[in-house]
Amino acid sequence: MKHDHIRILYASVKSHKEMIVNHVEKCTQPFIRSKQVFAQLPKEYEQGLALEIALLGNALKELNAEAFFVDETSVIQFIKSAQAAKGDAFSGITLAQVKNASAEVILSEQDMLASIKVEGAYGGDALTPTDIISALTQARVVKGINKKALKKVLLLSQQLKSGESYTQPVAIGKRPKEGKDAQFIPLVADPKDRVLKPQASGSNGKVDMRDLGAVVTVGENEQVMRRIPAKPGENGYTVTGAVIPPRPVKDLPLKPGAGTRFSPDNPNTLLSTMSGMPVIKASGVEIDEALCLSKVDISTGHIKFKGSVVISGNVEPNMEVTATGAITVGGFVESASLKAKGDITIAKGIIGHNVDDGEPKSCHIESGGDVVANYAQFATIKARGDVQFTVHSLNNDIACSGDLLVTGGNKKQGTLSGGEAKVGGKVICNQLGVEGDTATYIEAFANYKHYAEKFEELQSRYTALQEQKMVSIRREIELKKIPKSSRTEEQNAELAALNSADTEAIDKLNEEKERIELELYAKLELNTVESLVQTHTRVTVQFDDEKVTTKSTHGPATFSYNKQIITFAPKLKEEDILV
């Protein structure tokens, strides 16, 4: 087809008024369309005409419009319409047009970042500052704008080729600055921590495990705790100006306890009102009257004391120590009985002796708080809190409401083997079990039964309320079947009472059920049995009524429970076992 057929793709330049194209996304894109290439099939081609797309390139070249934006969809539509002699071809279709450089504002990261996507002009003008400001305004970007980035956008819009695009971040929001909760700083050492970290003494730096130091007890009118008030955070903002508040801070008050008071000079400081053993609480300190002894043996007799007992030496065999506070021992406890309402902390070890099956162990430790010691063997240990050993736990009978932790400073320490342990929470140790035939039995997350029973109780109450509600509904239906004129006063009163019954109790029970169930799943995720180094044979782990027993040696492993089965997950292959 010769170029004189160019009128088939009749090109005319038409002026159009400024048009604004609004996009669905959070952005605006202004265009000024001043020129376009318009194709129209002459009426004499009533039978249609086959055209080639390549012809358009020739037409654009003769019109010096090669840089125009070509709408390929419109080109295909025109060619098909021309071939089929349809009305679109005779009325004309815009195939190409001038397009100025465009700016599209893109919001991301929950409106914390605004970027401008620039597309090069198709024969049109580069961006102007007004275009960019208009785009930002339409997208409601008002905060965190970087002026240097905007200048870069302007410069790039002049350098980009037709259709080439570039995205430049131009505004960044500000994250809120989180505040700090009130802090409670103990000004005296915790006796439990102090015993486990004895100080070196003498020129040779040798550690004396019996030297508990002067900080185990406090005198009268000493500072024991300081409160640092909460510090509020600062608001952040998005690029659109929305305020992002910080997390609310907890500004808990300082709480004086038994044996302490507020300082007259500073209401954020507690002073002791008596000499004794400091008991560190979450937001306060209590002072127990303390009895300090060098040892407990036949010369002192059994000890019963209302307060805390500090023993710098050993508790000898067959001796008993009972305290309403904490018991702190700097040496050994051998075949003795210790009972305290507070923590029991033993710097060296708990030593019992092997007894025949069925006979009680010779060493008995019972704590209303935590039990902490370097090691324990052949002892019965009970605690309402956690039980923690550094070196080993060998053939002990342990029952605690909290966690059982047997972890030392190296991989050879931290052995939990033999005996039985019933643990309310999780179990963590380095070495689980022992080589040979010694069996180790662990019941983990013993508190599971409490959650299961609580959930069952709520379910029973929920079912009873549902049944009661259904009875009320059926009775309400029966009464409504009676015509109003025939109902007695008693029936009307009964109906009114039934109508006033709501589902508030059922909804509350349902919420409580969901809360307990979510809490249970969180506890199951947390309360596992984990060996950090090695797992030996004949280790039996129980969750609820389910049990598993190891039959071979593994490396690090975790036992977990999902309310149905126990999952045993070794972390290393057999050939990677650490010895």
Side-chain angles (χ1 to χ4, degrees):
M1 186 175 291
K2 296 182 179 179
H3 289 299
D4 57 356
H5 284 91
I6 190 117
R7 71 188 190 90
I8 296 175
L9 291 176
Y10 173 67
S12 65
V13 177
K14 295 187 177 182
S15 296
H16 284 255
K17 295 182 180 180
E18 181 178 349
M19 299 176 62
I20 301 294
V21 179
N22 293 319
H23 289 260
V24 176
E25 298 178 356
K26 294 183 179 179
C27 58
T28 58
Q29 204 172 18
F31 295 96
I32 300 176
R33 299 179 179 177
S34 58
K35 296 181 180 180
Q36 70 174 16
V37 175
F38 187 78
Q40 187 177 30
L41 188 67
K43 292 184 179 180
E44 57 264 31
Y45 289 90
E46 295 179 356
Q47 302 302 317
L49 181 66
L51 298 175
E52 296 179 3
I53 294 179
L55 183 61
L56 175 62
N58 296 330
L60 294 177
K61 187 174 182 180
E62 291 197 6
L63 290 169
N64 294 320
E66 297 99 323
F68 283 22
F69 172 74
V70 177
D71 188 339
E72 296 180 359
T73 302
S74 296
V75 171
I76 294 172
Q77 180 185 351
F78 179 77
I79 290 176
K80 289 183 177 179
S81 297
Q83 185 175 4
K86 290 186 177 179
D88 288 347
F90 295 105
S91 59
I93 297 176
T94 299
L95 303 184
Q97 60 186 341
V98 169
K99 289 178 75 173
N100 294 334
S102 65
E104 174 188 2
V105 176
I106 302 170
L107 300 182
S108 59
E109 298 183 16
Q110 298 180 326
D111 292 354
M112 293 299 292
L113 179 67
S115 303
I116 292 184
K117 181 180 180 182
V118 186
E119 187 173 306
Y122 289 87
D125 299 328
L127 291 177
T128 66
T130 302
D131 295 331
I132 292 178
I133 292 172
S134 178
L136 292 171
T137 301
Q138 292 293 332
R140 297 184 177 86
V141 176
V142 296
K143 286 276 193 178
I145 298 173
N146 187 317
K147 293 182 179 179
K148 290 184 179 180
L150 296 183
K151 290 180 181 179
K152 184 177 180 180
V153 170
L154 280 173
L155 180 63
L156 283 171
S157 73
Q158 300 170 1
Q159 299 175 351
L160 292 175
K161 297 178 182 179
S162 299
E164 189 178 2
S165 64
Y166 178 82
T167 301
Q168 172 66 44
V170 295
I172 300 176
K174 179 183 176 182
R175 297 289 179 186
K177 183 179 179 181
E178 299 297 346
K180 292 184 178 180
D181 294 339
Q183 299 178 62
F184 300 90
I185 311 299
L187 302 179
V188 292
D190 189 329
K192 179 170 56 179
D193 294 337
R194 179 66 172 167
V195 167
L196 294 178
K197 297 177 182 177
Q199 302 299 303
S201 61
S203 58
N204 60 1
K206 192 174 182 179
V207 172
D208 183 359
M209 294 296 290
R210 299 188 182 204
D211 180 12
L212 304 183
V215 295
V216 171
T217 59
V218 297
E220 186 178 352
N221 212 38
E222 289 187 21
Q223 293 185 356
V224 293
M225 179 170 278
R226 180 183 299 119
R227 173 182 176 269
I228 300 176
K231 184 179 180 181
E234 297 177 5
N235 288 337
Y237 53 78
T238 67
V239 294
T240 59
V243 176
I244 307 175
R247 175 186 61 82
V249 295
K250 297 178 181 178
D251 198 13
L252 299 175
L254 188 63
K255 296 179 180 179
T260 61
R261 63 182 175 90
F262 289 115
S263 168
D265 301 324
N266 185 351
N268 285 314
T269 300
L270 287 181
L271 301 179
S272 59
T273 61
M274 57 182 286
S275 299
M277 168 82 75
V279 180
I280 310 299
K281 303 290 186 180
S283 56
V285 176
E286 294 180 358
I287 306 297
D288 275 352
E289 189 175 352
L291 173 63
C292 298
L293 302 167
S294 61
K295 61 182 178 179
V296 174
D297 59 10
I298 195 169
S299 67
T300 63
H302 300 315
I303 302 297
K304 286 188 178 181
F305 188 70
K306 290 184 178 180
S308 295
V309 176
V310 180
I311 304 163
S312 60
N314 300 330
V315 179
E316 299 294 338
N318 301 316
M319 302 310 298
E320 298 178 4
V321 180
T322 305
T324 59
I327 297 177
T328 303
V329 179
F332 294 98
V333 175
E334 183 177 359
S335 295
S337 175
L338 272 59
K339 187 174 183 180
K341 289 186 177 180
D343 296 336
I344 294 179
T345 307
I346 301 165
K348 288 195 174 179
I350 301 169
I351 304 172
H353 296 283
N354 204 357
V355 294
D356 295 333
D357 291 340
E359 292 187 14
K361 289 184 165 53
S362 63
C363 196
H364 185 271
I365 309 294
E366 185 173 346
S367 167
D370 298 339
V371 172
V372 179
N374 201 27
Y375 64 86
Q377 57 193 40
F378 298 104
T380 298
I381 299 167
K382 297 180 180 179
R384 289 191 176 179
D386 299 336
V387 174
Q388 182 176 357
F389 303 119
T390 303
V391 178
H392 62 239
S393 172
L394 302 180
N395 297 294
N396 297 301
D397 290 339
I398 299 172
C400 64
S401 299
D403 302 330
L404 173 58
L405 308 173
V406 189
T407 54
N410 58 61
K411 294 179 180 180
K412 292 183 179 180
Q413 292 185 335
T415 299
L416 172 59
S417 65
E420 298 184 1
K422 186 175 183 179
V423 182
K426 64 177 178 287
V427 177
I428 300 177
C429 63
N430 283 351
Q431 303 276 347
L432 180 56
V434 67
E435 294 179 1
D437 293 330
T438 302
T440 305
Y441 179 84
I442 297 172
E443 181 181 352
F445 190 27
N447 295 333
Y448 175 86
K449 286 181 170 39
H450 165 75
Y451 285 95
E453 289 170 359
K454 179 66 175 176
F455 186 80
E456 188 176 345
E457 177 204 347
L458 290 172
Q459 184 62 44
S460 298
R461 288 168 55 193
Y462 181 80
T463 302
L465 281 176
Q466 285 279 45
E467 291 174 354
Q468 184 179 338
K469 184 67 178 176
M470 290 306 300
V471 170
S472 298
I473 291 172
R474 285 193 289 268
R475 179 57 179 163
E476 185 178 342
I477 293 172
E478 290 176 3
L479 290 173
K480 285 184 176 180
K481 288 180 180 179
I482 302 173
K484 289 184 179 181
S485 58
S486 302
R487 290 180 201 155
T488 65
E489 291 184 6
E490 291 79 6
Q491 289 173 331
N492 285 328
E494 183 183 357
L495 183 58
L498 290 171
N499 285 330
S500 65
D502 56 32
T503 59
E504 184 177 351
I506 294 177
D507 291 341
K508 285 184 177 180
L509 265 179
N510 204 30
E511 289 175 5
E512 181 67 7
K513 275 175 52 189
E514 291 178 358
R515 186 190 68 79
I516 291 292
E517 192 165 23
L518 287 173
E519 188 175 339
L520 175 58
Y521 277 114
K523 293 285 186 180
L524 285 170
E525 189 77 19
L526 179 66
N527 293 322
T528 61
V529 175
E530 184 177 6
S531 63
L532 303 177
V533 177
Q534 198 166 28
T535 309
H536 295 277
T537 58
R538 297 198 66 192
V539 173
T540 299
V541 174
Q542 176 177 344
F543 287 92
D544 194 24
D545 294 327
E546 297 295 318
K547 296 180 184 178
V548 295
T549 301
T550 57
K551 296 181 180 179
S552 58
T553 301
H554 300 272
T558 301
F559 299 80
S560 58
Y561 186 54
N562 67 357
K563 294 176 64 176
Q564 295 178 339
I565 61 171
I566 297 175
T567 300
F568 172 58
K571 296 181 182 179
L572 295 176
K573 296 180 180 179
E574 198 72 31
E575 59 266 27
D576 297 327
I577 292 175
L578 298 174
V579 179

